[in-house]
Amino acid sequence: MKHEKTYHFETFDSEHGPVIIEGPVSSEDMADYTFDEKLTAFRPSEKQFEAIKKIADFEEGRIIIARHNETIVGYVTYLHPDPLERWSEGNMEDLIELGAIEVIPRFRGYRIGSRLLQVSMMDDFMENYIIISTEYYWHWDLKGTRLNIWDYRKVMEKMMAAGGLTPAPTDDPEVISHPANCLMVKIGKNVPQSSVEQFDHLRFLTRHQYRQSRR
């Protein structure tokens, strides 16, 4: 599968000045920018910047950024699932994961998360993918937003809906370990039925493995 990427962008005004949402961007593009030091949800900002530049250069990797002048203030990543996750079983070329989405506190309130997803989906090639996002409450910024788990989940679902992702059932142990966790999914209109069936098998892999063991 040839992973085609077409650049799109959107600009809007904030009280801090204009913000550009753009991508997919390459590591070379991002080398000209700075990465805001508040982008620390997953690891220290310097290390996270290096991580997303590497993802940008993966064949299937996509990075969409929110930029204020020359500073990256938010981003979303897409790439094949981690080899240690069940979603990587079968090596599905048309399954990609929304791996991370983050916006610095100063620019929250402008729907940047939703805008990042909307710009992501402007590329028609995204219709060739099954796109997933595994949402775990322990990754959520409950302290910074001052929201409880369930209010944060509502905000997260609304944001994901901007990209066409909706909750889907699964028996993945990590997802079902807490009722606030969830699997979000978007199945592109060009995805073949064979891939949909393979993905459905992955969603309920524990059940299938149990049935196999009973035979």
Side-chain angles (χ1 to χ4, degrees), residues 19-89:
V19 177
I20 298 173
I21 312 290
E22 62 179 341
V25 293
S26 68
S27 61
E28 290 183 1
D29 296 329
M30 288 186 281
D32 294 330
Y33 307 141
T34 57
F35 198 69
D36 195 282
E37 62 182 12
K38 298 289 187 181
L39 293 169
T40 57
F42 300 95
R43 55 176 66 86
S45 59
E46 300 87 354
K47 292 185 177 180
Q48 184 65 1
F49 195 23
E50 291 304 312
I52 69 169
K53 283 191 284 189
K54 288 179 181 178
I55 292 171
D57 290 336
F58 290 166
E59 186 178 356
E60 85 287 357
R62 291 169 180 260
I63 303 293
I64 314 298
I65 61 171
R67 178 165 59 85
H68 175 238
N69 297 323
E70 306 304 306
T71 301
I72 296 171
V73 297
Y75 64 89
V76 62
T77 72
Y78 298 90
L79 70 164
H80 283 322
D82 188 289
L84 298 178
E85 296 181 329
R86 72 159 57 185
W87 314 108
S88 67
E89 294 196 23

